[in-house]
Amino acid sequence: MTNLASEPEFEQAYKELVSSLENSSLFEKNPEYKTALKVCSIPERIIQFRVVWEDDKGQLQVNRGYRVQFNSALGPYKGGLRFHPTVNLSVLKFLGFEQIFKNALTGLNMGGGKGGADFDPKGKSDNEIRRFCCAFMSELGKHIGADTDVPAGDIGVSGREIGWLFGQYKKQTKLWEGVLTGKGGSWGGSLIRPEATGYGVVYYVEHMIKYASGGTESFSGKKVTISGSGNVAQYAALKVIELGGTVLSLSDSQGAIIATTPQGIDPEMIEIIAKLKVDRKQLSEVAHTSAFSSKVKYIDGARPWLHVGQVDVALPSATQNEVSGEEAEGLIAAGCKFVAEGSNMGCTKDAIDAFEAHRNFKKEKWVWYAPGKAANAGGVAVSGLEMAQNSARIKWTAEEVDEKLKLIMKNCFENGLQTAKTYVTPKEDEFPSLVAGSNIAGFTKVAAAMKDQGDWW
């Protein structure tokens, strides 16, 4: 990696994985896995292309498009498309690298990839976004397919954009196939897909709470701070409320709303926020209305972590590196016991180090942390279930999909837990490291498949 231009996000993700592997007994027991690490840290293929589109004034605009096809050992490349001005190769390589091991943890046959463009949908008309999607897929469509690479949505790419992308792919190829996930429910989409990441992270934390308490506790009565206000945050909040918890916060890139009543943020407020986000507007536009002002306070430019007071569970669900080391220490001081990432790499290395240093459950201030590659795997898991339904030309009920999602998240938790116990001996009175366990479990599964296929030996 030393001969490459600086790629800070990817380097952070790579070092986090390597740290887990090196601080375990994996390489001692299986020294050949050092070779596997060298191989799987380089993408199989990176596709870069220009996207030329016409704005509403008839003027040509150009953006950069990407698809990082990172690893196909376990199945077709699988990972979202992100439309955001911060998109670059480092960000997409980090996301694709994480996706490899996240997908492995689901137990489904999916490889890892990621893509997108440095296009900013904010401030664009619907027609401009549609024209951009068509131009983007005109090039991307040459490199994907139901058995090759199956993208999904991510930041800036909702079900609406998936529809436009799918339509353009179908026009070009004359194929109706499950080439994208997150499709509309009437034309190949899976029920529970919009909810899946948010629901999944809550299901995962349920198992953390049950394990830590010996089965005596649940989300009932827990105070939960959540960042973000997109799909992941919205549905995580709704599931927390359904299970008896209280939601203390939501946020966006401009600021945070913090609950000021014991009831917390309620489903009616979340419904208003969901409509707001469809229109790509900010929380500040509703925070001071009558529906919100008596129940929350708005803090401009802030993340919620240091403003919620006493808290039991923290769910970073916005974007990468949204919890700093200082904020992690603040959450620990506020009594937070469980942290799980709804976003990808939501915590900085300093934050992870702080959480990992406080796994001793005999101390008054302890916390147990779960990384995104395990805790937020529910979204891609249901994408995998959507692929299965498309292949069989069937449609499962919401209850069937939800039960499968619950089982996948249970297996994600138990796989990481048991792998940590196998390869990392915890200190006395410490919870097993879910970071190490999830990293090792995902990596070893991918590495073994690559070896079987002759990618290393």
Side-chain angles (χ1 to χ4, degrees), residues 72 167 422:
S72 60
T422 300

Side-chain angles (χ1 to χ4, degrees), residues 129-187:
I129 297 171
R130 179 182 56 81
R131 287 194 291 270
F132 177 83
C133 287
C134 291
F136 180 84
M137 183 53 79
S138 292
E139 180 59 34
L140 181 67
K142 302 171 187 176
H143 309 286
I144 62 175
D147 296 313
T148 306
D149 185 347
V150 184
D154 194 79
I155 294 172
V157 180
S158 67
R160 180 184 65 169
E161 286 75 27
I162 291 293
W164 289 332
L165 292 164
F166 184 87
Q168 181 66 16
Y169 178 85
K170 186 160 61 74
K171 290 183 181 78
Q172 287 179 210
T173 63
K174 304 181 183 67
L175 295 174
W176 196 111
E177 61 179 11
V179 69
L180 291 158
T181 56
K183 299 184 292 298
S186 63
W187 50 277

Side-chain angles (χ1 to χ4, degrees), residues 6 32 40 142 144 158 183 269 332 370 372 396 419 438:
S6 177
E32 69 275 13
C40 79
K142 302 171 187 176
I144 62 175
S158 67
K183 299 184 292 298
M269 298 166 73
I332 295 167
W396 294 323
T419 303
S438 300

Side-chain angles (χ1 to χ4, degrees), residues 280-314:
R280 303 183 187 279
K281 295 180 180 179
Q282 302 295 329
L283 289 176
S284 57
E285 299 194 27
V286 295
H288 304 295
T289 64
S290 58
F292 282 74
S293 60
S294 63
K295 301 176 182 178
V296 301
K297 62 181 178 182
Y298 178 77
I299 304 178
D300 186 53
R303 296 187 291 227
W305 316 121
L306 301 181
H307 303 281
V308 291
Q310 194 276 326
V311 63
D312 302 302
V313 180

